[in-house]
Amino acid sequence: VQAGDRATFARVLDLLAARYGTRGRAGRLSPLDELVATILSQHTSDINTARAYASLRETFPTWEGVVDAETAAVEDAIRGGGLAAQKAPRIQSALRAVRDESGAFDLAWLAERDTADALAWLVSLPGVGPKTAACVLLFSLDRPVMPVDTHVGRVATRLGALPPRAGPLQALHEVTALVDPPARMLEAHLLLIDHGRDLCKALRPRCGMCPVRDLCDYGTAMKNAASTA
Ligand code: SF4
């Protein structure tokens, strides 16, 4: 798949959908809740994220309570999610920035902004990078923006659609631009994650079993190398 080759990428998605099936959205959080949950999800599993988020909401029923609390108390509440010492101040800073912007702990107003503006505002928050911002935009606001996590980035790079050293913002824009129609963004995101977990693993991808090998730069190179060895 060459960068920007939407037609070939659509075939990749069709083949992945045939293997993994298509899943719908698991549920929807408000944009602010999604922002906090996504900060909690950085460098940890979905299970740990859910546990830490539930614990945070139970300990502090309001976002105001999180901002007013000692950072150590927030850390304690989210310890099950890992990296609590980094995430607690990030969450408090992001919540403060949201309150400073709109006077309330609410991001519903983001729906009024166009996607580029909303993305720019989100990544201006402390501790919020392009992937976290894209999660808020895609999962809560249905904006066609690809969160490029470790799986999505690895699969897209091996396919040949993303330069190996693309930065987070470039990766977001390049993978987003590949998805046609944009309404497939959530499906594409979930399929690339499924594929990264199942066959296109970080160590030893299982290219021999992969349904998209003939469309993949890495898989094709490995196949050619094996046949000339
Ligand atoms: S052929 Fe290999 S590297 Fe390419 S997508 Fe499939 S598993 Fe990943």
Side-chain angles (χ1 to χ4, degrees):
V1 181
Q2 300 303 302
D5 183 352
R6 294 173 177 206
T8 306
F9 195 68
R11 283 171 57 209
V12 168
L13 294 181
D14 290 343
L15 290 163
L16 295 181
R19 178 177 176 93
Y20 301 111
T22 51
R23 288 186 275 140
R25 176 188 301 284
R28 185 195 295 271
L29 296 176
S30 76
L32 184 56
D33 294 2
E34 182 65 47
L35 175 65
V36 174
T38 308
I39 293 172
L40 281 172
S41 78
Q42 293 165 351
H43 307 288
T44 195
S45 67
D46 292 350
I47 291 174
N48 286 346
T49 302
R51 193 179 296 144
Y53 184 79
S55 166
L56 181 66
R57 300 313 310 257
E58 202 177 298
T59 310
F60 302 102
T62 65
W63 291 131
E64 193 164 11
V66 174
V67 166
D68 291 344
E70 296 288 337
T71 303
V74 179
E75 267 183 64
D76 282 344
I78 64 172
R79 200 159 309 280
L83 298 178
Q86 282 177 27
K87 293 175 184 176
R90 271 185 197 174
I91 289 168
Q92 287 182 309
S93 299
L95 288 169
R96 268 187 216 107
V98 168
R99 183 183 56 191
D100 291 348
E101 178 76 14
S102 65
F105 291 104
D106 185 12
L107 276 179
W109 52 269
L110 266 187
E112 310 295 323
R113 298 223 179 159
D114 72 28
T115 300
D117 263 8
L119 175 64
W121 188 81
L122 284 165
V123 298
S124 76
L125 296 175
V128 175
K131 191 209 82 172
T132 298
C135 286
V136 174
L137 292 170
L138 179 65
F139 301 149
S140 285
L141 296 168
D142 287 322
R143 299 297 176 88
V145 181
M146 177 66 79
V148 181
D149 71 354
T150 179
H151 299 297
V152 173
R154 183 174 66 254
V155 176
T157 301
R158 286 177 175 162
L159 286 168
L162 190 62
R165 271 173 281 285
L169 203 53
Q170 180 188 0
L172 177 152
H173 287 302
E174 294 215 14
V175 185
T176 295
L178 277 173
V179 180
D180 186 31
R184 283 190 95 177
M185 201 65 65
L186 179 64
E187 178 199 3
H189 176 73
L190 297 172
L191 287 172
L192 292 170
I193 289 175
D194 285 346
H195 193 48
R197 286 179 174 153
D198 183 41
L199 294 181
C200 197
K201 295 169 184 290
L203 299 176
R204 285 194 278 280
R206 299 162 78 187
C207 303
M209 300 174 64
C210 179
V212 301
R213 179 163 72 164
D214 291 342
L215 302 174
C216 172
D217 281 6
Y218 183 98
T220 306
M222 289 297 119
K223 189 175 167 185
N224 292 342
S227 66
T228 56

